């Protein structure tokens, strides 16, 4: 499967993704292809909607201390649900679908997540730190929400201006 990451302002990023019901070879092929495109793009998280598949599927691969993405660090979550949220934390986020822009976003510090793995087995995880932030960011994608949707009005205006300029410069380079 050859996948392309879609970028803001593509309207498909606002779609609400559908629950996965079949844990079959097609799902496994999607997961494997998503992992390939995420690594190639230097991402640490990717939701299926970002590659035009509106399914409740997300991947996270937080690099270890040596900053290399090891295969054992890969987490695949199907139909994830946050069951408990504790505390508050702020982190400068980015997104493969909003290239070159980063801004501080407030999230829950610790979360408990219930999800299914690629074979449909139900799993539970307690997450904090960067993993917690990444899961919240990716679950937002499944509901059609981007991190820029969480900015204040003034910061969003500034983003739109900067982003338009970046897109124009990118176009002129081609
Ligand atoms: C989501 O984000 C995330 O602008 C994953 O030019 C964000 O992988 C999880 C990226 C913050 C946890 C904390 C962004 C790559 C990658 C860019 C990403 C870019 C190239 C973003
Ligand atoms: Co994102």
């Amino acid at each position: 499967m050859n996948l392309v990451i879609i970028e803001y302002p593509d309207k498909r990023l606002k779609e609400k993704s559908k629950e996965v019901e079949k844990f079959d070879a097609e799902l496994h092929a999607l997961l494997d292809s998503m992992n390939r495109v995420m690594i190639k793009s230097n991402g640490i998280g990717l939701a299926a909607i970002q590659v035009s598949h509106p399914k409740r599927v997300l991947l996270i691969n937080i690099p270890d201390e040596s900053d290399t993405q090891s295969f054992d660090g890969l987490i695949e979550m199907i139909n994830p649900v946050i069951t408990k949220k504790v505390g508050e934390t702020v982190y400068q986020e980015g997104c493969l679908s909003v290239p070159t822009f980063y801004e501080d976003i407030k999230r829950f510090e610790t979360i408990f997540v219930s999800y299914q793995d690629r074979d449909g087995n139900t799993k539970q995880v307690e997450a904090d730190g960067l993993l917690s932030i990444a899961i919240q960011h990716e679950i937002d994608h499944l509901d059609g929400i981007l991190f820029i949707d969480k900015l204040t009005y003034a910061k969003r205006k500034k983003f739109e201006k900067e982003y338009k300029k970046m897109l124009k410069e990118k176009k002129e380079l081609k």
Side-chain angles (χ1 to χ4, degrees), residues 2 11 20 38 50 65 69 72-73 75 80 89 96 98 115 118 139 142 145 151 153 160:
N2 188 37
K11 290 223 163 52
V20 170
M38 179 171 74
Q50 293 179 273
E65 296 92 77
Q69 277 165 322
D72 356 310
I75 301 174
T89 184
L96 286 169
V98 190
Y115 66 97
R118 61 160 65 208
I139 289 180
L142 307 186
I145 299 163
L151 299 176
Y153 183 77
E160 294 292 345

Side-chain angles (χ1 to χ4, degrees), residues 139-152:
I139 289 180
D140 270 354
H141 275 299
L142 307 186
D143 294 320
I145 299 163
L146 298 175
F147 80 105
I148 50 169
D149 296 331
K150 298 186 175 284
L151 299 176
T152 61

Side-chain angles (χ1 to χ4, degrees), residues 41-45 91-96 98-102 130 133-134 137-138:
S41 318
N42 296 310
I44 60 167
Y91 190 84
Q92 191 176 51
E93 297 189 16
C95 178
L96 286 169
V98 190
T100 74
F101 183 78
Y102 305 87
L130 190 54
I133 292 159
H137 176 112
E138 299 310 330

